[in-house]
Amino acid sequence: MKGIVFTEFLDLVEERFGLEMVDAIISQSKLESKGVYTSIGTYSFSELLQLLQNLKIQTGISIDNLLLIYGEHFFSVIETNYKDLLSSYNDPIEMLASIENHIHVEVRKIYNDAELPTFIIKEKTKKTLILIYKSSRSMHHFGLGLMNKTFEHFNSKATIILEKIKKDGTEVKFIITKN
């Protein structure tokens, strides 16, 4: 997993819960990296799981809700660093429908070894998008947070329903309806 995922996660934890919480979750985890991350490095996904689990223990917030909060936070990274990418769209449905064929292509140009989820379009109209998310990492709530902020970015609203296709969350259906 790319280091930017870790550096931004720890920034979020510090921003929301304080530097002491960052220290606590790092010290409670058995991290090969010792909790030292660079945005361009590559680290084991198990390290993020440990940090999330320890943050859940410390805060009482579920991992799904922590991932949702983190996805919403991570959108600000996209807004700051990838303005050109965002400005190439004028509609949130169009942008979300382009995840696989445009956005992930651009991400791979920067992080060629990035392990990204797969998004398959099942249905698309002007107001509706049904996506199938597939990832062994089950970070669908991170995706949901990004989707929420995508609509906010375009000053739009949507109802997003998440249905687990596989119980472990490795395959999920997003039913997105623009309000």
Side-chain angles (χ1 to χ4, degrees), residues 3-28:
I4 191 169
V5 175
F6 291 87
T7 58
E8 288 300 326
F9 178 72
L10 294 177
D11 284 352
L12 167 68
V13 173
E14 182 178 356
E15 181 183 296
R16 283 283 186 103
F17 305 104
L19 190 55
E20 298 79 18
M21 183 67 77
V22 172
D23 290 338
I25 66 172
I26 288 173
S27 65
Q28 292 163 357

Side-chain angles (χ1 to χ4, degrees), residues 102-116:
H102 182 223
I103 296 170
H104 281 178
V105 170
E106 295 300 317
V107 170
R108 284 191 179 93
K109 287 179 184 175
I110 300 164
Y111 304 105
N112 64 345
D113 60 343
E115 296 175 42
L116 302 170

Side-chain angles (χ1 to χ4, degrees), residues 72 74-93 95-96 103 145-158 178:
E72 290 177 347
F74 201 85
F75 192 84
S76 66
V77 174
I78 297 167
E79 284 181 312
T80 302
N81 297 319
Y82 306 102
K83 289 178 184 164
D84 290 344
L85 181 67
L86 288 176
S87 68
S88 65
Y89 297 96
N90 56 20
D91 179 77
I93 295 281
M95 184 173 161
L96 293 175
I103 296 170
L146 288 169
M147 290 177 194
N148 287 340
K149 286 298 186 175
T150 297
F151 279 90
E152 191 176 299
H153 174 80
F154 288 101
N155 296 314
S156 188
K157 294 187 187 288
K178 191 174 176 183

Side-chain angles (χ1 to χ4, degrees), residues 26-92:
I26 288 173
S27 65
Q28 292 163 357
S29 302
K30 292 176 176 46
L31 307 173
E32 190 177 315
S33 69
K34 308 289 186 229
V36 178
Y37 304 104
T38 64
S39 62
I40 59 169
T42 302
Y43 307 93
S44 171
F45 177 59
S46 68
E47 291 197 19
L48 183 62
L49 287 177
Q50 289 180 65
L51 294 168
L52 279 163
Q53 185 62 37
N54 285 317
L55 186 58
K56 174 189 167 201
I57 291 166
Q58 291 290 324
T59 64
I61 301 170
S62 72
I63 288 179
D64 280 349
N65 283 335
L66 290 171
L67 285 170
L68 176 72
I69 293 164
Y70 181 38
E72 290 177 347
H73 165 83
F74 201 85
F75 192 84
S76 66
V77 174
I78 297 167
E79 284 181 312
T80 302
N81 297 319
Y82 306 102
K83 289 178 184 164
D84 290 344
L85 181 67
L86 288 176
S87 68
S88 65
Y89 297 96
N90 56 20
D91 179 77

